[in-house]
Amino acid sequence: MTTTSPRKRRTKDSVTTDRYARMLLIRELETEAERQYKLARIGGYCHLSSGQEAITIAAADALEPDDVLVTGYRSHGFALARGVSPEAVMAELFGRRSGCAHGRGGSMHLLDVERRYFGGWGIVAGQLPIATGLALSLVRRGSEQAVLCELGDGAVNMGAWHEALNLAGLWHLPVVFLIVNNEYGMGTSVQRASAEPELYRRAAAFRIHGERVDGDDLEASLETCQRLLDLARRERRPAVLEALTYRYRGHSVADAGLAYRTREEIARHEAADPLKRARAALLDQGVGEDELEAIERQARERVEAAVEYALADPEPEVSELAVGMHAPGSAEQFERMRPGSPFGELELTFGAGLGR
Ligand SMILES: Cc1ncc(C[n+]2csc(CCOP(=O)(O)OP(=O)(O)O)c2C)c(N)n1
Ligand SMILES: [Mg+2]
């Protein structure tokens, strides 16, 4: 039962029970993922975004259904926020057949093309040229949509950042580069990695608009993402948005996250947890404690159900391992690349040098 007072609830507030529920679902699913990883039910890498839920939900909610989302490998939250079910996410982490990448991608490569979520990419900054290319494709098709490309603070020191932003600026592409600045790239702080630690300023080199937002403030993040995506869609103005946030857990579940930062630092951030902030805002709006507790219970139940689902889901057949790896017609292309063939690597790579 709800004890919400309609008088006190402000409908214009963007901190809604729905958004709180979805932020919580991310937190609960990732907390459970770490547990399942330690039970050896999840293999490979597994990066958690606990602490980053506000900017994740804000970015996803600022997108229209036809907009395109591309992210790095810390992707569980983005997949959930874009509407991928917890079952499909957990099954993917377990490497099972009904995972959102059919059990072949794992934690870093979640995707859902139907929902215009084009992954989940494991190479740092590898997603940037892809996002820029997708934005160019939208322009060529005359489609008034935008691309949102998430990247970490560590990705801005990669060559691909410069290449992608240069073309986005030069060709006025509808892409918003969202830097999720969680203060660290693995164990290296932004201060130690970036000559210009105010990362949004680096957009100026490409004559792209740059802006910073408190990524733990759901309302401010949503407003900023909406405004920048709108400019990208309507006026083809690319942008860089730096969202300041923090990850509570280690870089991946294999990292305790304590060798390069203090417990006090983590505790300081946890005290301003975006979930706590959203909860307090809802209480302030007049949402009842019992309604919030029901949301919290439902999130845990939803995650438990996702684990049950993933456990029961079969693994992909080994015979299907290569299915979907290459586009139809690739066999002919590969044939041409064979050493010794007219376009083969033997001629191209060694031919001249060896005088053959
Ligand atoms: C090209 C490349 N170099 C190195 C790595 C190894 N690596 C994985 S994550 C990471 C740090 C990236 O940090 P950041 O961009 O801040 O993202 P975050 O992990 O904080 O989300 C590195 C160096 C990689 N995956 N790809
Ligand atoms: Mg980082």
Side-chain angles (χ1 to χ4, degrees), residues 73-74 122-124 151-155 158 182 184-186 247 251:
Y73 46 82
R74 207 174 287 282
I123 303 295
V124 172
L151 57 136
D153 44 274
M158 300 291 289
N182 58 13
Y184 293 90
M186 298 189 88
R247 72 165 151 74
H251 166 71

Side-chain angles (χ1 to χ4, degrees), residues 114-355:
E114 299 257 299
R115 290 185 167 81
R116 311 269 277 176
Y117 176 33
F118 283 68
W121 296 86
I123 303 295
V124 172
Q127 73 274 33
L128 275 81
I130 291 167
T132 300
L134 286 164
L136 177 62
S137 160
L138 290 177
V139 170
R140 290 250 169 125
R141 288 158 198 250
S143 162
E144 242 197 41
Q145 298 300 334
V147 178
L148 186 111
C149 176
E150 180 268 349
L151 57 136
D153 44 274
V156 302
N157 298 314
M158 300 291 289
W161 154 273
H162 300 279
E163 296 174 31
L165 268 82
N166 183 56
L167 288 183
L170 188 67
W171 292 340
H172 307 285
L173 298 178
V175 50
V176 174
F177 297 98
L178 169 66
I179 307 170
V180 174
N181 180 351
N182 58 13
E183 300 193 17
Y184 293 90
M186 298 189 88
T188 306
S189 70
V190 172
Q191 300 296 331
R192 290 181 60 206
S194 189
E196 171 50 273
E198 293 185 30
L199 304 181
Y200 71 99
R201 289 177 179 269
R202 299 173 60 149
F206 310 97
R207 294 200 174 180
I208 291 179
H209 171 75
E211 193 169 333
R212 210 179 217 191
V213 71
D214 174 357
D216 296 340
D217 181 331
L218 183 58
E219 196 152 12
S221 296
L222 185 67
E223 182 279 321
T224 313
C225 289
Q226 279 170 339
R227 180 164 41 78
L228 296 183
L229 280 166
D230 209 40
L231 284 172
R233 279 185 215 107
R234 286 189 296 108
E235 298 180 27
R236 283 180 48 190
R237 279 164 58 183
V240 169
L241 175 61
E242 178 188 8
L244 300 178
T245 183
Y246 196 76
R247 72 165 151 74
Y248 300 149
R249 314 296 303 150
H251 166 71
S252 72
V253 293
D255 165 30
L258 292 167
Y260 47 88
R261 56 186 191 172
T262 61
R263 286 185 197 275
E264 290 70 37
E265 180 183 306
I266 301 168
R268 202 169 56 246
H269 283 280
E270 280 176 336
D273 183 356
L275 278 163
K276 285 187 194 152
R277 281 162 77 164
R279 197 179 201 282
L282 288 169
L283 283 171
D284 191 47
Q285 285 177 37
V287 177
E289 182 71 37
D290 49 358
E291 188 179 349
L292 295 173
E293 282 170 14
I295 289 171
E296 288 149 11
R297 205 169 42 249
Q298 279 160 15
R300 283 192 296 275
E301 287 168 2
R302 197 74 216 275
V303 171
E304 278 167 29
V307 171
E308 291 306 313
Y309 178 90
L311 277 174
D313 197 34
E315 291 180 350
E317 296 288 335
V318 173
S319 60
E320 292 171 7
L321 200 60
V323 173
M325 299 261 284
H326 304 291
S330 305
E332 190 193 335
Q333 187 186 348
F334 292 145
E335 190 55 34
R336 285 193 287 135
M337 288 160 61
R338 274 162 55 101
S341 69
F343 303 100
E345 70 184 56
L346 189 66
E347 261 91 338
L348 285 178
T349 312
F350 304 111
L354 296 176

